[in-house]
Amino acid sequence: MTDARLTILGLKGIPEVRSGDSIGELIMEALKNEDRSVEDNDIFIVTQKIISKVENRFRRIRDIIASDKAKELAKSLSRDAKHIQLILEESNRSIRAENGIIITETIHGLVCANSGIDQSNVEKGTFSLLPLDPDGSAGRIRREIMKLTGTDVAVIISDTFGRPFREGQTNVAIGVSGLIPLEDYRGRRDKFGNILSSTVIATADELAAAGELVCGKLENIPVALIRGYQYRRGDGSSKELIMPPHKDLFRR
Amino acid sequence: MTDARLTILGLKGIPEVRSGDSIGELIMEALKNEDRSVEDNDIFIVTQKIISKVENRFRRIRDIIASDKAKELAKSLSRDAKHIQLILEESNRSIRAENGIIITETIHGLVCANSGIDQSNVEKGTFSLLPLDPDGSAGRIRREIMKLTGTDVAVIISDTFGRPFREGQTNVAIGVSGLIPLEDYRGRRDKFGNILSSTVIATADELAAAGELVCGKLENIPVALIRGYQYRRGDGSSKELIMPPHKDLFRR
């Protein structure tokens, strides 16, 4: 399901969004300002932060009351108790909490640092939380674009996660709509006739990572357009990208 | 260090390589056949398998003798004893061995399944091993291209790794030359004046992942060219991408 050429474009000119804005509309306006139009097979990678903003998923620090549990954990980690309070509220459980780091399983089942809650690219004095239903957020943008243009695109909501074993963070797909996020090669044969036994590529994560390359962290480019990738269309869900705990050798 | 547009091209027409071939030359021939030439700032993503082939890093199954230790481990995992033998030979230590899966720290310090040894896209009856010095392999290709064209490019050697918590595999950078693999945003300010406290992006891994999107697993496209990404030049090493064990909450 690959083509030999693809283009990744960072959409400049998307304004600072506000609660209730239509990201689909803003994307279409940004494209129009660059004299481009949407094409069949386009994939839009939308960074989590603007989703959280239009969905009003942030909290003012002054409104947060830290529980005793949060205060205790914060003390042991040398961290801010209000931040820890929010991290616990947005998680099912803690996976690791040591060396000043807290890794949780979020309410969505994602495993990441701080339940995905941070203070970057938001107004001072506020924390941004992950969208409640990132697949739903992706679906809404997809429907908005469909309504405006009649074109069926794919949408990925991306966020920046660390990972075990490797330094640095990469963008991964926390929400998807209109594409199957995994490409399963198992059972197919390579040119030597070997049957591939374990290869399943997380293409949605690779697309999210590719999008990060044009978005950056300081350039105010919250959306990337990937054109030319022959993705597998369908009703995929970001849940398919989450390893079930019983299969996971590192969640225990 | 990002631009708002980049292009990723899968280089078709690279023949099945043999021990001793110059990958730099083969890349330049493939580009020429597409009426393209190399440009300053180009990044070549070269998949591990062709490196292993030109460096003769494979083993015939019939030449492998499984030790008692390998036989025992193979039995407990319901796996092939000769494969386990090689996996142990190419590793410093085992990180997890259960449910039929073995995750090791390779001789390079990489943490991955099977010490990176597999049987895909190689002749039947053989296993391919990771290159001994992937940074060295990347550097050699870079120097070959420099010698042929006078142009200084960046080269990334990529391989397909699974990861905890998430389903599917993605391509990561196991060797680099000519670029700094991490982009450190710590201490920089976003547009709201917040100082970023923890953001370090593994751009080399994101570039490797982006390259996979045009290479695929069955299309015989072993090299991707990424053009338009303003990478940070320098003497980077893939070792920078490996989290030191003492920092790693999941290696124990």
Side-chain angles (χ1 to χ4, degrees):
Chain A
M1 300 297 284
T2 58
D3 196 13
R5 183 196 172 92
L6 58 88
T7 307
I8 310 180
L9 191 71
L11 294 191
K12 293 177 178 174
I14 290 183
E16 182 61 25
V17 299
R18 283 178 297 194
S19 176
D21 278 352
S22 159
I23 294 179
E25 274 181 34
L26 294 173
I27 288 174
M28 288 305 106
E29 278 167 28
L31 267 185
K32 205 172 162 187
N33 288 340
E34 300 201 18
D35 284 325
R36 292 171 187 275
S37 53
V38 67
E39 292 180 13
D40 201 53
N41 248 350
D42 277 354
I43 306 171
F44 291 95
I45 314 292
V46 183
T47 50
Q48 162 267 323
K49 200 60 53 80
I50 67 164
I51 305 288
S52 294
K53 287 177 182 176
V54 301
E55 296 181 2
N56 209 18
R57 288 281 290 161
F58 53 82
R59 290 279 296 278
R60 286 201 176 77
I61 292 173
R62 65 167 189 251
D63 298 338
I64 301 164
I65 297 164
S67 66
D68 287 346
K69 187 183 170 192
K71 284 178 187 165
E72 199 175 309
L73 184 54
K75 198 174 171 189
S76 77
L77 292 170
S78 306
R79 294 277 301 266
D80 173 69
K82 290 185 172 189
H83 194 183
I84 296 291
Q85 174 65 31
L86 273 190
I87 292 167
L88 294 177
E89 284 177 19
E90 295 287 320
S91 69
N92 297 329
R93 62 195 187 96
S94 167
I95 305 289
R96 289 284 190 285
E98 53 188 287
N99 294 358
I101 295 166
I102 178 164
I103 313 285
T104 61
E105 181 185 298
T106 71
I107 52 173
H108 327 76
L110 296 162
V111 177
C112 63
N114 304 326
S115 303
I117 297 166
D118 68 41
Q119 288 183 281
S120 70
N121 285 298
V122 290
E123 277 182 41
K124 285 197 170 183
T126 61
F127 285 109
S128 91
L129 317 181
L130 294 187
L132 280 174
D133 171 17
D135 282 346
S137 309
R140 189 163 48 251
I141 295 168
R142 182 167 160 235
R143 285 191 303 276
E144 288 165 354
I145 293 173
M146 169 64 94
K147 196 175 164 190
L148 286 165
T149 66
T151 306
D152 191 18
V153 300
V155 175
I156 291 174
I157 312 297
S158 72
D159 198 12
T160 306
F161 282 7
R163 59 265 165 94
F165 318 141
R166 295 182 72 73
E167 287 283 359
Q169 296 130 34
T170 62
N171 272 24
V172 298
I174 64 165
V176 305
S177 181
L179 90 173
I180 306 297
L182 296 164
E183 178 75 15
D184 191 347
Y185 288 93
R186 288 173 301 180
R188 295 195 230 170
R189 279 177 197 278
D190 67 24
K191 66 177 171 176
F192 296 94
N194 302 298
I195 294 175
L196 300 184
S197 62
S198 60
T199 307
V200 178
I201 301 293
T203 48
D205 281 346
E206 294 190 326
L207 290 160
E212 199 284 325
L213 294 168
V214 299
C215 288
K217 292 290 164 221
L218 303 171
E219 291 82 358
N220 304 322
I221 299 180
V223 179
L225 162 58
I226 300 185
R227 183 165 283 176
Y229 184 69
Q230 301 301 314
Y231 61 91
R232 195 184 285 273
R233 288 171 187 245
D235 264 337
S237 163
S238 62
K239 301 293 183 209
E240 297 166 53
L241 290 162
I242 298 176
M243 190 177 285
H246 73 272
K247 270 186 67 180
D248 197 329
L249 301 183
F250 295 94
R251 197 166 317 189
R252 287 164 263 168
Chain B
M1 299 296 282
T2 59
D3 196 13
R5 183 196 173 92
L6 59 89
T7 307
I8 310 180
L9 191 71
L11 294 191
K12 292 177 177 173
I14 292 183
E16 181 63 24
V17 299
R18 283 177 298 195
S19 176
D21 279 351
S22 159
I23 293 179
E25 275 181 33
L26 294 173
I27 287 174
M28 287 305 108
E29 280 167 27
L31 266 186
K32 205 172 162 187
N33 288 339
E34 299 200 21
D35 285 325
R36 292 171 188 275
S37 54
V38 67
E39 292 180 13
D40 200 54
N41 247 349
D42 278 353
I43 306 170
F44 291 95
I45 315 292
V46 183
T47 51
Q48 161 268 324
K49 201 58 56 76
I50 68 164
I51 305 289
S52 294
K53 286 176 182 177
V54 302
E55 296 181 3
N56 209 19
R57 286 282 290 161
F58 53 82
R59 289 279 294 280
R60 286 202 179 76
I61 292 174
R62 63 166 190 253
D63 298 338
I64 301 164
I65 297 163
S67 66
D68 287 346
K69 187 184 171 192
K71 283 178 187 166
E72 201 175 308
L73 184 54
K75 199 173 168 191
S76 77
L77 294 170
S78 305
R79 294 276 300 266
D80 173 69
K82 290 184 170 188
H83 194 183
I84 297 291
Q85 175 64 33
L86 274 189
I87 291 167
L88 295 177
E89 284 177 19
E90 295 286 321
S91 69
N92 297 330
R93 62 193 188 98
S94 167
I95 305 287
R96 289 283 190 287
E98 53 187 290
N99 294 355
I101 295 166
I102 179 164
I103 313 285
T104 61
E105 181 186 297
T106 71
I107 52 174
H108 327 76
L110 297 162
V111 178
C112 63
N114 304 324
S115 303
I117 298 164
D118 68 41
Q119 289 184 281
S120 69
N121 285 300
V122 291
E123 278 182 42
K124 284 196 172 187
T126 61
F127 285 109
S128 90
L129 317 181
L130 294 186
L132 280 175
D133 171 19
D135 282 345
S137 309
R140 188 161 52 251
I141 295 169
R142 182 167 159 234
R143 286 192 301 278
E144 288 165 355
I145 292 173
M146 170 64 94
K147 196 175 164 191
L148 286 166
T149 67
T151 306
D152 190 19
V153 300
V155 175
I156 291 174
I157 312 297
S158 71
D159 197 11
T160 306
F161 282 7
R163 60 263 167 93
F165 318 141
R166 296 183 71 74
E167 288 283 358
Q169 297 131 35
T170 61
N171 272 25
V172 298
I174 64 166
V176 305
S177 181
L179 91 173
I180 305 297
L182 295 165
E183 178 75 15
D184 192 345
Y185 288 93
R186 288 174 301 179
R188 295 196 232 169
R189 280 178 197 276
D190 67 23
K191 66 176 170 176
F192 295 95
N194 303 298
I195 294 175
L196 300 184
S197 62
S198 60
T199 306
V200 180
I201 301 293
T203 49
D205 281 345
E206 294 191 325
L207 289 161
E212 198 285 326
L213 294 168
V214 300
C215 288
K217 292 289 164 222
L218 304 170
E219 290 81 359
N220 304 321
I221 299 180
V223 180
L225 162 58
I226 299 185
R227 183 166 283 176
Y229 184 69
Q230 300 302 316
Y231 61 91
R232 194 183 285 271
R233 288 171 189 246
D235 265 338
S237 162
S238 62
K239 302 292 183 209
E240 297 166 53
L241 290 161
I242 297 176
M243 190 178 284
H246 72 271
K247 268 186 65 179
D248 197 328
L249 301 183
F250 296 93
R251 200 171 309 193
R252 287 161 264 170

